[in-house]
């Protein structure tokens, strides 16, 4: 178990996708093999046109328990949405 | 079902009032249909049960490559061979998705392999049966993958997020497998009498083992209740088995085949088929490691792992060397 290959997270940008999306993870000894394997495992049916792989150990994540402090404050800032502002009909499309 | 007889901790299900606040909050989230994600708190029993179930499922995908792989070099046409190769490649992918899902529960893939190789972890009983003819490859797709889909479709709603998401991906691909299997058999039953007889023989041998894939009957299934309360499992074994029989018997009739069960009879009142009891003694024997191919399958896995050790180590050494060289070049450039 000492020689375990590191874990990589795989992100794929779809045929018409705007951005890369996380699709899963895999083990590989290096980045090149990780991309090769990601191609075989996650794009067998034409799912994408671009692959990113990132060592899982390089990813920092927020904890679910921080959900409140992280995301609640934005709820009070309704003015961040364009729909908050009333523009008179006469002004036309804005 | 690719995971059978998964052991769950505890002897009975506790009510919400008996739980401590943390566990109670967890159970309430599960009851509300929310997904549990890797970093969140979960009862130890939940975590262990999931590791058992997901890894058993993953092992089944990997060991399941062997009975089918047995016919790759002998597939009757080039087209069939290419399709079979694609299917076996899918199985490897399914194994990988599932190992990754299990790894989010704090166990490494190599640790899971070790448990498989040392017989501490199981895989589906079905893969301990031999593939004796080409028709068996069709029967596996139709029946075995059919039974797997029956079980996996509800698992897409399983309470553990990573497992549910892996299932979505897998289910899409499984239906390719089931159709390709049925397609093989449709061609064969329209062929020569010898081909049709080969299909009937395959059904005779695979029918009962396929029914056993759903696990023991509900009253003998001691671990189901807790798994269902945790929404790891959505339907009882017998429920799924009944659904499978109801769906599959008309398909067998379409092929002009006879299901090898003298007790099989349409029951108008319940709107389903009545059917005979699988040989549970055989089932428990296979699960215990005494089926027709248990030793062969496990040896093939262990041999591949052991013989491949130098290659895995080589790739690691190469990756380290390249990384060192790159680091040295960077230092030199600065």
């Amino acid at each position: 178990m000492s020689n375990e290959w590191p874990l990589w997270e795989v992100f794929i940008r779809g045929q018409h996708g705007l951005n890369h999306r996380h699709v899963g993870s895999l083990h590989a000894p290096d980045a090149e093999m990780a991309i090769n394997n990601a191609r075989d495992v996650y794009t067998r049916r034409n799912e994408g046109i671009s692959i990113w792989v990132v060592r899982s150990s390089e990813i920092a994540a927020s904890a679910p328990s921080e959900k409140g402090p992280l995301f609640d404050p934005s709820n009070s800032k309704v003015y961040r949405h364009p729909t908050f502002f009333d523009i008179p009909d006469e002004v036309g499309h804005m | 079902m690719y995971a059978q007889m998964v052991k769950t901790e505890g002897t009975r299900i506790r009510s919400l009032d008996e739980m401590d606040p943390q566990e109670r909050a967890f159970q309430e989230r599960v009851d509300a249909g929310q997904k549990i994600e890797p970093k969140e708190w979960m009862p130890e029993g939940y975590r262990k049960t999931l590791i058992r179930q997901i890894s058993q499922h993953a092992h089944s995908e990997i060991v399941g490559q062997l009975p089918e792989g047995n016919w790759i070099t002998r597939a009757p046409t080039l087209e069939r061979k290419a399709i079979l190769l694609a299917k076996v490649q899918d199985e490897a992918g399914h194994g990988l998705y599932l190992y990754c899902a299990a790894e989010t529960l704090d166990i490494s893939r190599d640790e899971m392999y070790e448990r498989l190789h040392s017989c501490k972890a199981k895989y589906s009983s079905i893969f301990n049966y031999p593939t004796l003819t080409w028709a068996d490859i069709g029967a596996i797709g139709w029946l075995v993958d059919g039974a797997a889909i029956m079980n996996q479709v509800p698992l897409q709603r399983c309470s553990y997020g990573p497992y549910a998401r892996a299932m979505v991906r897998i289910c899409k691909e499984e239906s390719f497998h089931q159709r390709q299997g049925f397609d093989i058999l449709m061609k064969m039953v329209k062929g020569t009498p010898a081909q049709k007889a080969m299909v009937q023989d395959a059904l005779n041998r695979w029918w009962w083992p396929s029914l056993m894939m759903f696990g023991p009957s509900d009253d003998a299934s001691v671990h189901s209740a807790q798994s269902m309360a945790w929404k790891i499992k959505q339907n009882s074994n017998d429920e799924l088995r009944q659904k499978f029989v109801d769906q599959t018997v008309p398909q067998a009739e379409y092929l002009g085949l006879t299901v090898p069960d003298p007790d099989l009879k349409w029951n108008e009142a319940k709107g389903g088929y009545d059917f005979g009891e699988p040989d549970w003694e055989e089932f428990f024997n296979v699960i215990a490691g005494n089926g027709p191919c248990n030793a062969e399958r496990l040896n093939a896995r262990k041999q591949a792992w052991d013989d491949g050790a130098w290659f895995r180590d080589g790739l690691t050494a190469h990756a380290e060397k390249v990384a060192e060289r790159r680091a040295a070049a960077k230092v030199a450039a600065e």
Side-chain angles (χ1 to χ4, degrees):
Chain A
M1 236 144 284
S2 52
N3 289 333
E4 199 153 338
W5 287 347
L7 192 65
W8 301 76
E9 299 300 325
V10 181
F11 300 80
I12 291 188
R13 183 156 64 87
Q15 297 277 354
H16 308 289
L18 288 175
N19 36 31
H20 287 78
R21 295 180 64 167
H22 182 245
V23 293
S25 44
L26 50 79
H27 288 273
D30 57 28
E32 197 187 342
M33 280 278 272
I35 288 183
N36 283 341
N37 290 344
R39 198 242 355 244
D40 286 346
V41 175
Y42 293 109
T43 67
R44 281 200 302 290
R45 291 176 174 80
N46 254 337
E47 287 95 336
I49 51 166
S50 167
I51 301 175
W52 287 350
V53 294
V54 184
R55 284 278 284 260
S56 299
S57 55
E58 299 293 323
I59 291 181
S62 68
S65 54
E66 295 168 46
K67 198 173 127 198
L70 280 178
F71 306 114
D72 281 353
S74 62
N75 289 339
S76 60
K77 299 181 177 64
V78 283
Y79 49 82
R80 282 177 167 166
H81 299 277
T83 44
F84 174 77
F85 304 96
D86 279 329
I87 303 295
D89 286 345
E90 302 91 278
V91 177
H93 179 73
M94 184 178 279
Chain B
M1 175 109 164
Y2 277 2
Q4 296 154 320
M5 311 260 315
V6 175
K7 244 177 98 187
T8 313
E9 310 288 292
T11 43
R12 65 182 188 92
I13 298 171
R14 293 184 302 156
S15 71
L16 284 176
D17 298 328
E18 293 170 277
M19 296 176 185
D20 63 44
Q22 204 170 28
E23 190 178 353
R24 187 177 164 153
F26 170 87
Q27 187 63 51
E28 280 169 348
R29 288 190 52 208
V30 168
D31 292 343
Q34 287 176 22
K35 293 272 178 274
I36 307 301
E37 296 298 335
K39 287 195 144 195
E40 294 173 315
W41 183 89
M42 59 188 80
E44 197 45 28
Y46 179 82
R47 199 179 71 85
K48 281 197 178 145
T49 303
L50 274 171
I51 288 178
R52 284 198 194 99
Q53 178 161 339
I54 303 174
S55 67
Q56 195 183 119
H57 194 160
H59 297 329
S60 302
E61 301 282 359
I62 298 305
V63 176
Q65 295 179 98
L66 296 168
E68 292 183 288
N70 184 30
W71 279 89
I72 288 175
T73 57
R74 293 178 283 175
T77 70
L78 196 52
E79 191 192 19
R80 293 289 183 202
K81 188 197 287 250
I83 295 171
L84 184 57
L85 274 169
K87 184 187 172 187
V88 173
Q89 189 187 21
D90 278 353
E91 314 284 11
H94 295 177
L96 189 144
Y97 308 152
L98 289 159
Y99 283 125
C100 289
E103 278 187 297
T104 63
L105 293 158
D106 281 334
I107 180 166
S108 79
R109 187 172 66 178
D110 287 9
E111 233 173 303
M112 289 185 264
Y113 281 161
E114 196 278 322
R115 287 188 191 179
L116 171 68
H117 296 157
S118 63
C119 299
K120 272 179 247 152
K122 297 190 189 313
Y123 54 88
S124 178
S125 59
I126 195 82
F127 300 119
N128 292 310
Y129 292 87
T131 40
L132 303 178
T133 69
W134 171 250
D136 286 15
I137 300 306
I140 288 181
W142 171 42
L143 297 172
V144 175
D145 293 299
I149 294 172
M150 200 55 89
N151 177 59
Q152 289 168 4
V153 165
L155 281 177
Q156 295 178 85
R157 289 180 283 109
C158 156
S159 63
Y160 189 58
Y163 192 28
R165 289 189 288 272
M167 246 44 257
V168 173
R169 196 171 263 285
I170 290 174
C171 283
K172 274 191 212 149
E173 297 176 351
E174 289 290 0
S175 57
F176 146 59
H177 298 174
Q178 193 186 14
R179 284 164 182 229
Q180 71 93 14
F182 196 69
D183 187 65
I184 289 175
L185 301 183
M186 272 199 308
K187 228 352 164 341
M188 290 183 79
V189 294
K190 284 186 207 139
T192 64
Q195 282 177 305
K196 187 165 181 193
M198 198 185 271
V199 175
Q200 180 64 57
D201 169 63
L203 175 63
N204 293 349
R205 283 180 291 108
W206 289 93
W207 176 255
W208 292 110
S210 299
L211 291 196
M212 292 178 199
M213 284 175 71
F214 296 95
S217 66
D218 292 346
D219 27 297
S221 181
V222 279
H223 307 295
S224 286
Q226 181 63 71
S227 281
M228 285 177 86
W230 278 333
K231 294 210 178 145
I232 292 175
K233 199 172 166 173
Q234 314 274 335
N235 308 85
S236 80
N237 296 351
D238 286 337
E239 233 172 274
L240 290 170
R241 190 168 12 246
Q242 179 72 52
K243 248 177 107 176
F244 176 75
V245 171
D246 291 345
Q247 188 186 80
T248 311
V249 170
Q251 295 167 355
E253 282 166 0
Y254 178 87
L255 294 173
L257 301 174
T258 315
V259 174
D261 179 359
D263 298 324
L264 184 79
K265 211 172 81 211
W266 176 254
N267 180 332
E268 191 62 49
K270 80 170 178 186
Y273 286 92
D274 289 332
F275 54 95
E277 196 71 18
D279 181 349
W280 293 118
E281 201 184 312
E282 175 184 318
F283 171 77
F284 288 112
N285 245 321
V286 175
I287 287 269
N290 305 317
C293 299
N294 294 57
E296 189 185 327
R297 300 284 185 248
L298 208 59
N299 283 340
R301 279 304 311 154
K302 279 197 279 204
Q303 197 191 342
W305 181 253
D306 294 341
D307 292 355
W310 68 272
F311 187 66
R312 292 192 302 277
D313 291 346
L315 287 171
T316 304
H318 176 71
E320 278 164 6
K321 204 163 79 184
V322 170
E324 273 165 27
R325 228 183 259 154
R326 203 168 286 155
K330 210 177 155 195
V331 170
E334 272 163 8

